[in-house]
mmCIF file of all heavy atoms in Angstrom:
data_model
loop_
_atom_site.group_PDB
_atom_site.id
_atom_site.type_symbol
_atom_site.label_atom_id
_atom_site.label_comp_id
_atom_site.label_asym_id
_atom_site.label_seq_id
_atom_site.Cartn_x
_atom_site.Cartn_y
_atom_site.Cartn_z
ATOM 1 N N ILE A 1 -33.359 237.547 16.552
ATOM 2 C CA ILE A 1 -32.141 238.100 17.021
ATOM 3 C C ILE A 1 -31.451 236.932 17.731
ATOM 4 O O ILE A 1 -31.908 236.380 18.663
ATOM 5 C CB ILE A 1 -32.373 239.256 18.068
ATOM 6 C CG1 ILE A 1 -33.283 240.328 17.332
ATOM 7 C CG2 ILE A 1 -31.063 239.806 18.540
ATOM 8 C CD1 ILE A 1 -32.661 241.077 16.161
ATOM 9 N N PRO A 2 -30.286 236.684 17.313
ATOM 10 C CA PRO A 2 -29.406 235.611 18.034
ATOM 11 C C PRO A 2 -29.228 236.046 19.581
ATOM 12 O O PRO A 2 -28.928 237.234 19.869
ATOM 13 C CB PRO A 2 -28.082 235.609 17.391
ATOM 14 C CG PRO A 2 -28.346 236.168 16.015
ATOM 15 C CD PRO A 2 -29.481 237.145 16.064
ATOM 16 N N CYS A 3 -29.418 235.120 20.534
ATOM 17 C CA CYS A 3 -29.411 235.456 21.904
ATOM 18 C C CYS A 3 -28.109 236.117 22.322
ATOM 19 O O CYS A 3 -28.201 237.015 23.190
ATOM 20 C CB CYS A 3 -29.621 234.148 22.745
ATOM 21 S SG CYS A 3 -31.229 233.412 22.442
ATOM 22 N N SER A 4 -27.096 235.774 21.775
ATOM 23 C CA SER A 4 -25.708 236.447 22.160
ATOM 24 C C SER A 4 -25.547 237.858 21.713
ATOM 25 O O SER A 4 -24.652 238.563 22.131
ATOM 26 C CB SER A 4 -24.582 235.583 21.701
ATOM 27 O OG SER A 4 -24.556 234.382 22.280
ATOM 28 N N GLY A 5 -26.543 238.251 20.948
ATOM 29 C CA GLY A 5 -26.470 239.686 20.443
ATOM 30 C C GLY A 5 -27.854 240.401 20.744
ATOM 31 O O GLY A 5 -28.096 241.427 20.166
ATOM 32 N N SER A 6 -28.614 239.901 21.719
ATOM 33 C CA SER A 6 -29.951 240.437 21.979
ATOM 34 C C SER A 6 -29.958 241.468 23.091
ATOM 35 O O SER A 6 -29.876 240.982 24.231
ATOM 36 C CB SER A 6 -30.963 239.225 22.228
ATOM 37 O OG SER A 6 -32.147 239.878 22.698
ATOM 38 N N ARG A 7 -29.998 242.653 22.762
ATOM 39 C CA ARG A 7 -30.057 243.760 23.862
ATOM 40 C C ARG A 7 -31.370 243.542 24.738
ATOM 41 O O ARG A 7 -31.306 243.695 25.914
ATOM 42 C CB ARG A 7 -29.947 245.043 23.286
ATOM 43 C CG ARG A 7 -29.955 246.161 24.444
ATOM 44 C CD ARG A 7 -29.666 247.610 23.867
ATOM 45 N NE ARG A 7 -29.725 248.493 24.995
ATOM 46 C CZ ARG A 7 -28.783 248.759 25.807
ATOM 47 N NH1 ARG A 7 -27.666 248.166 25.756
ATOM 48 N NH2 ARG A 7 -28.905 249.658 26.879
ATOM 49 N N TRP A 8 -32.387 243.168 24.068
ATOM 50 C CA TRP A 8 -33.659 242.998 24.844
ATOM 51 C C TRP A 8 -33.505 241.863 25.870
ATOM 52 O O TRP A 8 -33.933 242.074 26.929
ATOM 53 C CB TRP A 8 -34.777 242.652 23.839
ATOM 54 C CG TRP A 8 -36.167 242.326 24.591
ATOM 55 C CD1 TRP A 8 -37.049 243.267 25.151
ATOM 56 C CD2 TRP A 8 -36.708 241.132 24.859
ATOM 57 N NE1 TRP A 8 -38.046 242.629 25.795
ATOM 58 C CE2 TRP A 8 -37.879 241.252 25.561
ATOM 59 C CE3 TRP A 8 -36.290 239.756 24.653
ATOM 60 C CZ2 TRP A 8 -38.686 240.226 26.016
ATOM 61 C CZ3 TRP A 8 -37.060 238.713 25.045
ATOM 62 C CH2 TRP A 8 -38.249 238.891 25.749
ATOM 63 N N LEU A 9 -32.956 240.719 25.442
ATOM 64 C CA LEU A 9 -32.743 239.750 26.312
ATOM 65 C C LEU A 9 -31.795 239.962 27.452
ATOM 66 O O LEU A 9 -32.079 239.746 28.644
ATOM 67 C CB LEU A 9 -32.351 238.444 25.569
ATOM 68 C CG LEU A 9 -32.446 237.114 26.191
ATOM 69 C CD1 LEU A 9 -33.918 236.772 26.517
ATOM 70 C CD2 LEU A 9 -31.909 235.999 25.273
ATOM 71 N N LEU A 10 -30.556 240.476 27.085
ATOM 72 C CA LEU A 10 -29.456 240.476 27.976
ATOM 73 C C LEU A 10 -29.422 241.766 28.874
ATOM 74 O O LEU A 10 -28.878 241.760 29.949
ATOM 75 C CB LEU A 10 -28.109 240.365 27.244
ATOM 76 C CG LEU A 10 -27.898 239.086 26.495
ATOM 77 C CD1 LEU A 10 -26.523 239.031 25.783
ATOM 78 C CD2 LEU A 10 -28.037 237.854 27.342
ATOM 79 N N THR A 11 -30.037 242.877 28.304
ATOM 80 C CA THR A 11 -29.991 244.079 29.053
ATOM 81 C C THR A 11 -31.450 244.529 29.566
ATOM 82 O O THR A 11 -31.543 244.681 30.805
ATOM 83 C CB THR A 11 -29.430 245.209 28.280
ATOM 84 O OG1 THR A 11 -27.993 244.922 27.986
ATOM 85 C CG2 THR A 11 -29.571 246.532 28.950
ATOM 86 N N ASP A 12 -32.421 244.597 28.570
ATOM 87 C CA ASP A 12 -33.655 245.089 28.984
ATOM 88 C C ASP A 12 -34.356 244.141 29.993
ATOM 89 O O ASP A 12 -34.866 244.524 31.094
ATOM 90 C CB ASP A 12 -34.503 245.128 27.731
ATOM 91 C CG ASP A 12 -34.109 246.304 26.793
ATOM 92 O OD1 ASP A 12 -33.148 246.882 27.119
ATOM 93 O OD2 ASP A 12 -34.684 246.267 25.598
ATOM 94 N N VAL A 13 -34.349 242.854 29.717
ATOM 95 C CA VAL A 13 -35.005 241.852 30.625
ATOM 96 C C VAL A 13 -34.023 241.514 31.827
ATOM 97 O O VAL A 13 -34.423 241.750 32.959
ATOM 98 C CB VAL A 13 -35.356 240.571 29.899
ATOM 99 C CG1 VAL A 13 -35.895 239.557 30.906
ATOM 100 C CG2 VAL A 13 -36.487 240.885 28.918
ATOM 101 N N LEU A 14 -32.855 240.985 31.442
ATOM 102 C CA LEU A 14 -32.012 240.386 32.550
ATOM 103 C C LEU A 14 -31.523 241.509 33.462
ATOM 104 O O LEU A 14 -31.576 241.279 34.709
ATOM 105 C CB LEU A 14 -30.824 239.758 31.934
ATOM 106 C CG LEU A 14 -29.870 238.888 32.783
ATOM 107 C CD1 LEU A 14 -30.551 237.794 33.466
ATOM 108 C CD2 LEU A 14 -28.836 238.289 31.942
ATOM 109 N N GLN A 15 -30.896 242.556 32.946
ATOM 110 C CA GLN A 15 -30.326 243.575 33.881
ATOM 111 C C GLN A 15 -31.408 244.637 34.306
ATOM 112 O O GLN A 15 -31.372 244.923 35.504
ATOM 113 C CB GLN A 15 -29.209 244.293 33.104
ATOM 114 C CG GLN A 15 -28.047 243.238 32.713
ATOM 115 C CD GLN A 15 -27.031 243.937 31.954
ATOM 116 O OE1 GLN A 15 -26.635 245.001 32.260
ATOM 117 N NE2 GLN A 15 -26.455 243.237 30.846
ATOM 118 N N GLN A 16 -32.049 245.141 33.495
ATOM 119 C CA GLN A 16 -32.922 246.367 33.851
ATOM 120 C C GLN A 16 -34.261 245.801 34.567
ATOM 121 O O GLN A 16 -34.573 246.377 35.638
ATOM 122 C CB GLN A 16 -33.237 247.132 32.604
ATOM 123 C CG GLN A 16 -31.983 247.793 32.148
ATOM 124 C CD GLN A 16 -32.295 248.678 30.857
ATOM 125 O OE1 GLN A 16 -33.402 248.782 30.370
ATOM 126 N NE2 GLN A 16 -31.232 249.234 30.354
ATOM 127 N N GLU A 17 -34.854 244.870 33.990
ATOM 128 C CA GLU A 17 -36.131 244.417 34.600
ATOM 129 C C GLU A 17 -35.934 243.524 35.791
ATOM 130 O O GLU A 17 -36.495 243.707 36.893
ATOM 131 C CB GLU A 17 -36.810 243.635 33.530
ATOM 132 C CG GLU A 17 -38.246 243.226 33.987
ATOM 133 C CD GLU A 17 -39.085 242.481 32.926
ATOM 134 O OE1 GLU A 17 -38.767 242.835 31.705
ATOM 135 O OE2 GLU A 17 -39.849 241.609 33.320
ATOM 136 N N TRP A 18 -34.939 242.515 35.687
ATOM 137 C CA TRP A 18 -34.668 241.530 36.822
ATOM 138 C C TRP A 18 -33.634 242.105 37.753
ATOM 139 O O TRP A 18 -33.442 241.553 38.787
ATOM 140 C CB TRP A 18 -34.232 240.222 36.217
ATOM 141 C CG TRP A 18 -35.343 239.542 35.453
ATOM 142 C CD1 TRP A 18 -36.651 239.905 35.206
ATOM 143 C CD2 TRP A 18 -35.303 238.320 34.786
ATOM 144 N NE1 TRP A 18 -37.282 239.029 34.457
ATOM 145 C CE2 TRP A 18 -36.481 237.926 34.125
ATOM 146 C CE3 TRP A 18 -34.198 237.309 34.665
ATOM 147 C CZ2 TRP A 18 -36.734 236.879 33.403
ATOM 148 C CZ3 TRP A 18 -34.320 236.267 33.916
ATOM 149 C CH2 TRP A 18 -35.717 235.918 33.322
ATOM 150 N N GLY A 19 -32.918 243.103 37.358
ATOM 151 C CA GLY A 19 -32.002 243.630 38.312
ATOM 152 C C GLY A 19 -30.636 242.766 38.435
ATOM 153 O O GLY A 19 -30.018 242.871 39.499
ATOM 154 N N PHE A 20 -30.372 242.057 37.331
ATOM 155 C CA PHE A 20 -29.276 241.104 37.515
ATOM 156 C C PHE A 20 -27.880 241.887 37.444
ATOM 157 O O PHE A 20 -27.684 242.694 36.513
ATOM 158 C CB PHE A 20 -29.187 240.137 36.286
ATOM 159 C CG PHE A 20 -28.050 239.186 36.256
ATOM 160 C CD1 PHE A 20 -27.970 238.264 37.322
ATOM 161 C CD2 PHE A 20 -27.189 239.187 35.212
ATOM 162 C CE1 PHE A 20 -26.803 237.368 37.155
ATOM 163 C CE2 PHE A 20 -26.080 238.408 35.175
ATOM 164 C CZ PHE A 20 -26.049 237.343 36.134
ATOM 165 N N GLU A 21 -27.026 241.759 38.457
ATOM 166 C CA GLU A 21 -25.753 242.449 38.646
ATOM 167 C C GLU A 21 -24.532 241.650 38.257
ATOM 168 O O GLU A 21 -23.394 241.981 38.516
ATOM 169 C CB GLU A 21 -25.747 243.106 39.956
ATOM 170 C CG GLU A 21 -26.787 244.221 40.170
ATOM 171 C CD GLU A 21 -26.774 244.657 41.572
ATOM 172 O OE1 GLU A 21 -26.260 243.977 42.496
ATOM 173 O OE2 GLU A 21 -27.371 245.810 41.801
ATOM 174 N N GLY A 22 -24.795 240.411 37.836
ATOM 175 C CA GLY A 22 -23.726 239.411 37.637
ATOM 176 C C GLY A 22 -23.183 239.505 36.308
ATOM 177 O O GLY A 22 -23.438 240.473 35.503
ATOM 178 N N CYS A 23 -22.564 238.393 35.778
ATOM 179 C CA CYS A 23 -21.879 238.407 34.584
ATOM 180 C C CYS A 23 -22.593 237.479 33.572
ATOM 181 O O CYS A 23 -22.906 236.369 33.853
ATOM 182 C CB CYS A 23 -20.449 237.780 34.777
ATOM 183 S SG CYS A 23 -19.509 237.338 33.232
ATOM 184 N N THR A 24 -22.762 237.942 32.368
ATOM 185 C CA THR A 24 -23.312 237.092 31.246
ATOM 186 C C THR A 24 -22.125 236.545 30.400
ATOM 187 O O THR A 24 -21.073 237.186 30.218
ATOM 188 C CB THR A 24 -24.226 237.889 30.270
ATOM 189 O OG1 THR A 24 -23.405 238.987 29.784
ATOM 190 C CG2 THR A 24 -25.417 238.450 30.999
ATOM 191 N N LEU A 25 -22.301 235.240 30.060
ATOM 192 C CA LEU A 25 -21.241 234.503 29.333
ATOM 193 C C LEU A 25 -21.796 234.010 27.998
ATOM 194 O O LEU A 25 -22.945 233.424 27.954
ATOM 195 C CB LEU A 25 -20.783 233.406 30.174
ATOM 196 C CG LEU A 25 -19.786 232.331 29.486
ATOM 197 C CD1 LEU A 25 -18.428 233.040 29.266
ATOM 198 C CD2 LEU A 25 -19.723 231.030 30.489
ATOM 199 N N SER A 26 -21.068 234.216 26.992
ATOM 200 C CA SER A 26 -21.506 233.603 25.736
ATOM 201 C C SER A 26 -21.378 232.044 25.798
ATOM 202 O O SER A 26 -20.608 231.561 26.599
ATOM 203 C CB SER A 26 -20.684 234.195 24.470
ATOM 204 O OG SER A 26 -19.478 233.518 24.420
ATOM 205 N N ASP A 27 -22.007 231.383 24.904
ATOM 206 C CA ASP A 27 -21.732 229.859 24.653
ATOM 207 C C ASP A 27 -20.555 229.830 23.678
ATOM 208 O O ASP A 27 -19.923 230.874 23.201
ATOM 209 C CB ASP A 27 -22.970 229.148 24.205
ATOM 210 C CG ASP A 27 -22.925 227.742 24.627
ATOM 211 O OD1 ASP A 27 -21.769 227.192 24.823
ATOM 212 O OD2 ASP A 27 -24.011 227.163 24.765
ATOM 213 N N TRP A 28 -20.087 228.716 23.507
ATOM 214 C CA TRP A 28 -18.839 228.457 22.738
ATOM 215 C C TRP A 28 -18.825 229.135 21.411
ATOM 216 O O TRP A 28 -19.647 228.782 20.542
ATOM 217 C CB TRP A 28 -18.540 226.893 22.615
ATOM 218 C CG TRP A 28 -17.371 226.490 21.866
ATOM 219 C CD1 TRP A 28 -17.004 226.373 20.522
ATOM 220 C CD2 TRP A 28 -16.103 226.209 22.546
ATOM 221 N NE1 TRP A 28 -15.754 226.062 20.347
ATOM 222 C CE2 TRP A 28 -15.075 225.908 21.593
ATOM 223 C CE3 TRP A 28 -15.663 226.138 23.868
ATOM 224 C CZ2 TRP A 28 -13.792 225.493 21.887
ATOM 225 C CZ3 TRP A 28 -14.439 225.680 24.267
ATOM 226 C CH2 TRP A 28 -13.546 225.418 23.275
ATOM 227 N N GLU A 29 -18.002 230.159 21.278
ATOM 228 C CA GLU A 29 -17.866 230.934 20.001
ATOM 229 C C GLU A 29 -19.301 231.506 19.463
ATOM 230 O O GLU A 29 -19.328 231.831 18.284
ATOM 231 C CB GLU A 29 -17.305 230.128 18.871
ATOM 232 C CG GLU A 29 -15.890 229.688 19.251
ATOM 233 C CD GLU A 29 -15.116 229.054 18.103
ATOM 234 O OE1 GLU A 29 -15.782 228.484 17.162
ATOM 235 O OE2 GLU A 29 -13.832 228.888 18.116
ATOM 236 N N SER A 30 -20.253 231.613 20.362
ATOM 237 C CA SER A 30 -21.466 232.145 19.891
ATOM 238 C C SER A 30 -21.482 233.562 19.468
ATOM 239 O O SER A 30 -22.390 233.946 18.659
ATOM 240 C CB SER A 30 -22.590 231.821 21.000
ATOM 241 O OG SER A 30 -22.382 232.600 22.081
ATOM 242 N N ILE A 31 -20.607 234.324 19.925
ATOM 243 C CA ILE A 31 -20.628 235.746 19.449
ATOM 244 C C ILE A 31 -20.116 235.703 17.852
ATOM 245 O O ILE A 31 -20.756 236.450 17.151
ATOM 246 C CB ILE A 31 -19.638 236.625 20.215
ATOM 247 C CG1 ILE A 31 -20.125 236.630 21.751
ATOM 248 C CG2 ILE A 31 -19.472 237.969 19.667
ATOM 249 C CD1 ILE A 31 -19.286 237.450 22.744
ATOM 250 N N ASP A 32 -19.104 234.953 17.647
ATOM 251 C CA ASP A 32 -18.734 234.827 16.220
ATOM 252 C C ASP A 32 -19.864 234.261 15.440
ATOM 253 O O ASP A 32 -19.932 234.648 14.275
ATOM 254 C CB ASP A 32 -17.433 233.856 16.068
ATOM 255 C CG ASP A 32 -16.985 233.692 14.719
ATOM 256 O OD1 ASP A 32 -16.815 234.730 13.999
ATOM 257 O OD2 ASP A 32 -16.673 232.611 14.291
ATOM 258 N N GLU A 33 -20.683 233.473 15.954
ATOM 259 C CA GLU A 33 -21.770 232.956 15.195
ATOM 260 C C GLU A 33 -22.830 233.897 14.848
ATOM 261 O O GLU A 33 -23.795 233.580 14.046
ATOM 262 C CB GLU A 33 -22.396 231.687 15.961
ATOM 263 C CG GLU A 33 -21.486 230.473 15.998
ATOM 264 C CD GLU A 33 -21.848 229.335 16.823
ATOM 265 O OE1 GLU A 33 -23.160 229.339 17.254
ATOM 266 O OE2 GLU A 33 -21.069 228.403 17.101
ATOM 267 N N LEU A 34 -22.770 235.117 15.306
ATOM 268 C CA LEU A 34 -23.668 236.113 14.876
ATOM 269 C C LEU A 34 -23.542 236.341 13.412
ATOM 270 O O LEU A 34 -24.415 236.750 12.667
ATOM 271 C CB LEU A 34 -23.406 237.438 15.628
ATOM 272 C CG LEU A 34 -23.619 237.493 17.144
ATOM 273 C CD1 LEU A 34 -23.429 238.935 17.650
ATOM 274 C CD2 LEU A 34 -25.159 237.050 17.491
ATOM 275 N N VAL A 35 -22.333 236.156 12.894
ATOM 276 C CA VAL A 35 -22.016 236.245 11.487
ATOM 277 C C VAL A 35 -22.720 235.061 10.755
ATOM 278 O O VAL A 35 -23.336 235.334 9.661
ATOM 279 C CB VAL A 35 -20.539 236.214 11.242
ATOM 280 C CG1 VAL A 35 -20.113 236.395 9.617
ATOM 281 C CG2 VAL A 35 -19.846 237.301 11.926
ATOM 282 N N GLN A 36 -22.622 233.898 11.202
ATOM 283 C CA GLN A 36 -23.241 232.684 10.668
ATOM 284 C C GLN A 36 -24.849 232.880 10.525
ATOM 285 O O GLN A 36 -25.412 232.489 9.563
ATOM 286 C CB GLN A 36 -22.878 231.428 11.196
ATOM 287 C CG GLN A 36 -21.480 231.351 11.720
ATOM 288 C CD GLN A 36 -20.448 231.632 10.670
ATOM 289 O OE1 GLN A 36 -20.562 231.294 9.515
ATOM 290 N NE2 GLN A 36 -19.367 232.307 11.104
ATOM 291 N N HIS A 37 -25.318 233.436 11.567
ATOM 292 C CA HIS A 37 -26.721 233.706 11.726
ATOM 293 C C HIS A 37 -27.246 234.782 10.593
ATOM 294 O O HIS A 37 -28.246 234.783 10.195
ATOM 295 C CB HIS A 37 -27.102 234.263 13.078
ATOM 296 C CG HIS A 37 -27.318 233.210 14.054
ATOM 297 N ND1 HIS A 37 -28.375 232.405 14.112
ATOM 298 C CD2 HIS A 37 -26.623 232.964 15.170
ATOM 299 C CE1 HIS A 37 -28.311 231.541 15.130
ATOM 300 N NE2 HIS A 37 -27.302 231.799 15.867
ATOM 301 N N GLY A 38 -26.227 235.595 10.176
ATOM 302 C CA GLY A 38 -26.615 236.631 9.153
ATOM 303 C C GLY A 38 -27.096 237.936 9.994
ATOM 304 O O GLY A 38 -27.613 238.785 9.244
ATOM 305 N N ASN A 39 -26.720 238.005 11.276
ATOM 306 C CA ASN A 39 -27.138 239.210 12.034
ATOM 307 C C ASN A 39 -26.019 240.156 12.043
ATOM 308 O O ASN A 39 -26.230 241.338 12.307
ATOM 309 C CB ASN A 39 -27.483 238.799 13.451
ATOM 310 C CG ASN A 39 -28.093 239.805 14.288
ATOM 311 O OD1 ASN A 39 -27.625 240.073 15.316
ATOM 312 N ND2 ASN A 39 -29.148 240.478 13.777
ATOM 313 N N ALA A 40 -24.726 239.724 11.711
ATOM 314 C CA ALA A 40 -23.618 240.595 11.660
ATOM 315 C C ALA A 40 -22.815 240.265 10.389
ATOM 316 O O ALA A 40 -22.706 239.125 10.047
ATOM 317 C CB ALA A 40 -22.642 240.464 12.971
ATOM 318 N N GLU A 41 -22.383 241.311 9.782
ATOM 319 C CA GLU A 41 -21.604 241.171 8.568
ATOM 320 C C GLU A 41 -20.096 240.776 8.726
ATOM 321 O O GLU A 41 -19.547 240.350 7.720
ATOM 322 C CB GLU A 41 -21.613 242.406 7.641
ATOM 323 C CG GLU A 41 -20.937 243.673 8.177
ATOM 324 C CD GLU A 41 -21.767 244.474 9.132
ATOM 325 O OE1 GLU A 41 -22.845 243.975 9.563
ATOM 326 O OE2 GLU A 41 -21.413 245.623 9.421
ATOM 327 N N SER A 42 -19.585 240.852 9.886
ATOM 328 C CA SER A 42 -18.234 240.528 10.110
ATOM 329 C C SER A 42 -18.039 240.293 11.570
ATOM 330 O O SER A 42 -18.894 240.529 12.449
ATOM 331 C CB SER A 42 -17.325 241.788 9.688
ATOM 332 O OG SER A 42 -17.619 242.856 10.511
#
């Protein structure tokens, strides 16, 4: 799972387990790269 689309990483671990209340930021165009990874069709 690409990190920019990983619910386990960004929500389950970071927010729910660690209690992080701040902001998560993608890296440069890494959300768009979910398509290049083959994890998203568009």
Side-chain angles (χ1 to χ4, degrees):
I1 306 295
C3 294
S4 292
S6 172
R7 181 173 178 82
W8 176 77
L9 195 65
L10 301 179
T11 295
D12 296 353
V13 172
L14 185 60
Q15 297 177 44
Q16 295 179 359
E17 184 180 330
W18 295 357
F20 179 64
E21 294 171 342
C23 167
T24 56
L25 172 68
S26 81
D27 209 331
W28 186 274
E29 296 187 341
S30 66
I31 298 177
D32 182 45
E33 290 174 9
L34 297 181
V35 180
Q36 321 310 320
H37 277 290
N39 190 232
E41 65 274 14
S42 65

